[in-house]
């Protein structure tokens, strides 16, 4: 689904079938899937705004093509990113090194000059394998760690 191999509709249909739920639950499933992206944490939005004043920000995200337009209109911070790269665009998620290689190549970045921040430890490991400086984001308490990492250069 996140790699773009199957459509969201195919995914939802299979999920409902496997859960032995009627198609009538489709709209509920749809609402619940996008509900988790509705509200950005205030500290995240503030941090992105502050970092964008001094650094180029790129978003590397594992998402479903059908959700992306809604997600991008829900949050004000997308305009702070130089560009976004979505898993479905490159056919790979951050569970591999492929997206990291793709973002380095597309934007001509050097991994040792980048700070990759993510809430998933497996994604951190894959970025580290390519030489990225990494920080495991664990919520609001990680914001100061990000600022300190950037100050160190």
């Amino acid at each position: 689904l996140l790699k773009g191999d199957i459509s969201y509709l195919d995914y939802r249909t299979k999920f409902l079938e496997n859960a032995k739920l009627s198609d009538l639950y489709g709209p509920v499933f749809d609402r619940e899937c996008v509900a988790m992206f509705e509200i950005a944490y205030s500290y995240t939005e503030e941090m992105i705004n502050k970092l964008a004043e001094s650094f180029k920000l790129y978003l590397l995200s594992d998402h479903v093509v059908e959700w992306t337009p809604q997600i991008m209109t829900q949050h004000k911070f997308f305009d702070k990113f130089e560009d976004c790269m979505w898993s479905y665009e490159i056919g790979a998620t951050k569970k591999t090194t492929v997206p990291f290689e793709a973002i380095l190549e597309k934007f001509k970045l050097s991994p040792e000059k980048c700070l990759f921040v993510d809430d998933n430890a497996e994604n951190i490991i894959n970025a580290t394998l390519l030489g990225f400086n990494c920080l495991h984001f664990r919520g609001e308490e990680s914001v100061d760690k990000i600022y300190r990492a950037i100050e160190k250069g």
Side-chain angles (χ1 to χ4, degrees):
L1 177 66
L2 297 175
K3 295 188 303 182
D5 292 344
I6 63 169
S7 72
Y8 173 72
L9 184 57
D10 290 342
Y11 173 78
R12 181 182 74 183
T13 300
K14 276 285 191 214
F15 180 90
L16 295 175
E17 284 175 9
N18 290 340
K20 300 188 182 344
L21 294 171
S22 156
D23 287 342
L24 296 174
Y25 285 97
V28 173
F29 186 82
D30 295 345
R31 279 193 307 275
E32 291 303 311
C33 282
V34 294
M36 62 184 133
F37 309 114
E38 286 179 358
I39 300 172
Y41 300 114
S42 60
Y43 56 84
T44 303
E45 195 161 325
E46 181 181 323
M47 178 186 63
I48 290 170
N49 289 331
K50 185 174 180 179
L51 293 175
E53 293 173 5
S54 303
F55 301 97
K56 289 184 178 182
L57 304 180
Y58 297 92
L59 180 70
L60 182 59
S61 187
D62 293 345
H63 268 298
V64 178
V65 65
E66 291 89 348
W67 297 347
T68 305
Q70 182 176 347
I71 292 168
M72 290 189 75
T73 58
Q74 284 176 308
H75 304 294
K76 297 176 252 174
F77 57 75
F78 279 99
D79 66 340
K80 301 299 180 187
F81 289 92
E82 294 287 318
D83 209 335
C84 302
M85 185 175 283
W86 305 92
S87 55
Y88 61 83
E89 293 175 320
I90 54 176
T93 67
K94 293 179 280 185
K95 301 285 185 248
T96 70
T97 59
V98 172
F100 302 102
E101 293 163 347
I103 201 164
L104 290 173
E105 183 179 325
K106 181 176 181 180
F107 302 113
K108 307 297 183 225
L109 303 171
S110 300
E112 63 278 355
K113 292 183 179 180
C114 296
L115 175 63
F116 175 70
V117 179
D118 201 279
D119 61 352
N120 185 295
E122 188 175 352
N123 299 345
I124 295 289
I125 290 167
N126 287 324
T128 302
L129 291 172
L130 293 175
F132 282 82
N133 297 291
C134 297
L135 197 140
H136 191 172
F137 192 79
R138 297 176 185 264
E140 189 170 9
E141 64 272 11
S142 296
V143 173
D144 284 337
K145 290 179 183 177
I146 292 169
Y147 292 142
R148 284 195 302 274
I150 290 169
E151 286 172 5
K152 288 179 186 177

